[in-house]
Amino acid sequence: MKSTPHYRSCNLCEAICGIEITVGRDQHLDIRGDKDDPFSRGYICPKAVALQDFHFDKDRLRHPVRRTANGWRRITWDEAFDEVAQNLRRIRTQHGRDSLATYLGNPSVHNYGVLLYAPGFIRSLKTRNRFSATSVDQLAHHLAAYLMFGHQLLLPIPDLERTRFFLILGANPAVSNGSLMTAPGMSRRLQEIRERGGKVVLIDPRFNETARFADQHLFIRPGTDVLLLLALLHVVFREGLTRLGSLAGFTKGVETVADLVAQFPPERVAPITGIGAEQIRVLAREFAAAEGAACYGRIGVSTQEFGGVCQWLINVLNIVTGNLDRAGGAMFTRPAFDPIKAPKTLAPRGSFGRRHTRVRKLPEFGGEFPVAALAEEILTDGAGQIKALVTVAGNPVLSTPNGRELDRALERLEFMVSIDCYLNETTRHAHIILPPTSPLERGHYDIAFHVLAVRNTTRFSPPLFPPETGAKHDWEILLELQTRMTDEGFAGRVKNQLLKSFLGPERMLDLALRLGPYGARFNPFSSGLTLAKVKKAQHGIDLGPLSPCLPERLCTADKKIDLAPEALVKDVERVKEKLLDDSSYQSNGHLRLIGRRQLRSNNSWLHNTERLLRGKPQCTILMHPSDAAHRNLVAGQNVLIRSRVGSVAVPLEVSDEMMPGVVSIPHGWGHDRLGIQLQVAQQHAGASINDLTDPLAIDTLCGTAAFNGTLVTVEAVS
Ligand SMILES: Nc1nc2c(c(=O)[nH]1)N[C@H]1C(S)=C(S)[C@@H](COP(=O)(O)OP(=O)(O)OC[C@H]3O[C@@H](n4cnc5c(=O)[nH]c(N)nc54)[C@H](O)[C@@H]3O)O[C@H]1N2
Ligand SMILES: Nc1nc2c(c(=O)[nH]1)N[C@H]1C(S)=C(S)[C@@H](COP(=O)(O)OP(=O)(O)OC[C@H]3O[C@@H](n4cnc5c(=O)[nH]c(N)nc54)[C@H](O)[C@@H]3O)O[C@H]1N2
Ligand code: SF4
Ligand SMILES: [Mo]
């Protein structure tokens, strides 16, 4: 007998697709797209079906475990919590508060319990050594938003449903399904732009899957996008194509930008970027002329040496062509749970450079340090050295630069605890692992992704299954640890107890929805939103297209957009030094390594499902035929790739979708490390690109890892 359908949103990636699940015999789940979801309209990708593999996975941890000389042993929650708190307290007393460190991984953002409860837990540790996946991902966007609009979460989102010109730099939404641009069913959406007479242009060193949906694809040499953007702006100003329109009244710094970009005529940047001067001119004119144009850049430009400046210039291009806050341009969302209006302890406006890491002096952003510095902060002796680490939903050994060094560093810790579902490459170093419930056993609300969505919608997902006996949600684990780490004595414990039994995540969510822009407040006769109303609409509620909201929504002190923040303007000097000096881009026989994402993979943690790993190996290196011929390499053979920090071997794929001189390896692989418990993943181990990427290669402005453009050599495996 089949159950009545259960409706929820998929928590795996940023697209938040609605899914319909029916539970059949033998616990088989039939997972399909929810046709009645007003946002995703039935679209899903193959990963959603694998949610059941994750849920039923025998390797998924279901109770706390402790590492012993004879392997991992099951312990009770109480023992686990006591032991964790005792160790963290002991180390803090002995070595000072900064001897504790935290790392929050990507799935924390897909988990509203973690979003609501991690900040309190982290505060209870009192450490300034906080890290997360942000600094291997979207930090550059937050920096630009904070400096220009006054809040790290005021991120302009392409208005895909109306745009007439979509300029994409370094993203592959046809595979990633969009990032900082929540839009389920990307391929269809790209097609729709063209069907209404619009144009899609992609700038990427690889003719990626999205290129097939674009009108035009231009190869660019990795890491040189900043020059292309400066030259596009040069043309816009030189040819008098600027039109700030209504933005003129509250935008400052236009003159500064005009002077700056005057130094970058297309002829000057063309040979370095690999894009012709005339092509740059045409692109600038077309973008400026379109009735609604949006420029958007993602991982390819966020995680490179000039990521901060790139994200700033993307905003500048949208602004000076009058496309910010305009239908069809780049717009701000108005989410039902509005973090910009939430208490600052949950969603702070941001901060930058208030302090620096101990060893390399890298700047803090939003209270976090760049994770490229984590290993050295553990390995370098001295006051303030990290001695204990808490990881939550992260796998930094596979996801941060020079994972091998981090592997070595984690071994040196006095104590490590991981809140995670798996014994994987990172958590194998923990002394204790605290596993949470599976996504199907908990309620779900996308606090983060509604903020990033191309349309305002809201949707709550109830749990499908009750938690297994004794299982705990992430938020319960975090709150329990917070309680034990809090020094506030009786008062503090009472507060935490209130947070748990009176508030709880659902009550907090209800409160935020009531007080949000569509909220009922506390008026029982209001037609506005409450959690109960959102729950009742099991397919979600459409709140309409993005709408203009400036200058009201700006969070800067003077309510103005700062087009020319000092730190960003100054960083252009570094661009000149490093990129305009011809010798700096010479490769001496090296190739430039970039990353890529794959439809049936999700960062490092969806590799334990047979369903997604069938077929050819996914972890390969892509190389242009001319580069392969030059090295006498043939498709299918194993090749050795070396960088300054390490080497890996993977099979070669030869393809003219690569720009000559550039090679690509996906990240998240490398499951051949000893001591993990991921039986399927181990059989499809692949190798980790982050055994090659270099922690010294960063965007020195904000410390984001510069994954793209790593210099490597490639040769046959002897
Ligand atoms: N070279 C290179 N490196 C990259 C990138 C790249 O493009 N190139 N991309 C970067 C980007 S954008 C990102 S976001 C990072 C990701 O980097 P991380 O966030 O460090 O790693 P993930 O692979 O997402 O690991 C997620 C972990 O969370 C666990 N998990 C899953 N769901 C839950 C849950 O609900 N609760 C808890 N407690 N745990 C859970 C999984 O078991 C897994 O261990 O990788 C980065 N690394
Ligand atoms: N299927 C799937 N979907 C995912 C994920 C996943 O692992 N699998 N991960 C999710 C996460 S955490 C994120 S952050 C998003 C990321 O979403 P995207 O950014 O859309 O995904 P990527 O595949 O990393 O795309 C980066 C593109 O940048 C290009 N590139 C590399 N270097 C450069 C450069 O120097 N300049 C330019 N212009 N381009 C460059 C690459 O060739 C690639 O096409 O995807 C999310 N969605
Ligand atoms: S695109 Fe993302 S949200 Fe949609 S079904 Fe696939 S993994 Fe889930
Ligand atoms: Mo990411």
Side-chain angles (χ1 to χ4, degrees), residues 10-17 19 43-48 177 184:
C10 173
N11 62 297
L12 291 173
C13 87
E14 297 179 43
I16 66 172
C17 302
I19 54 178
Y43 174 82
I44 52 165
C45 84
K47 289 189 292 300
N177 272 295

Side-chain angles (χ1 to χ4, degrees), residues 145-166:
Y146 171 66
L147 296 176
M148 300 178 78
F149 311 122
H151 199 298
Q152 57 175 332
L153 293 179
L154 273 178
L155 302 168
I157 308 300
D159 182 21
L160 277 197
E161 299 187 345
R162 290 173 293 194
T163 194
R164 310 278 296 185
F165 198 105
F166 189 32

Side-chain angles (χ1 to χ4, degrees), residues 58-109:
K58 294 215 167 45
D59 286 335
R60 185 166 64 79
L61 300 174
R62 285 164 170 84
H63 44 74
V65 287
R66 177 203 287 135
R67 182 152 52 89
T68 72
N70 307 314
W72 291 88
R73 290 282 172 267
R74 177 175 182 166
I75 54 174
T76 67
W77 281 105
D78 258 334
E79 283 174 287
F81 288 135
D82 282 344
E83 200 167 317
V84 171
Q86 272 158 20
N87 277 289
L88 295 179
R89 279 177 172 278
R90 175 180 54 80
I91 291 168
R92 185 169 65 185
T93 309
Q94 212 175 331
H95 302 286
R97 57 184 201 165
D98 291 333
S99 62
L100 308 185
T102 53
Y103 174 84
L104 257 64
N106 169 281
S108 2
V109 190

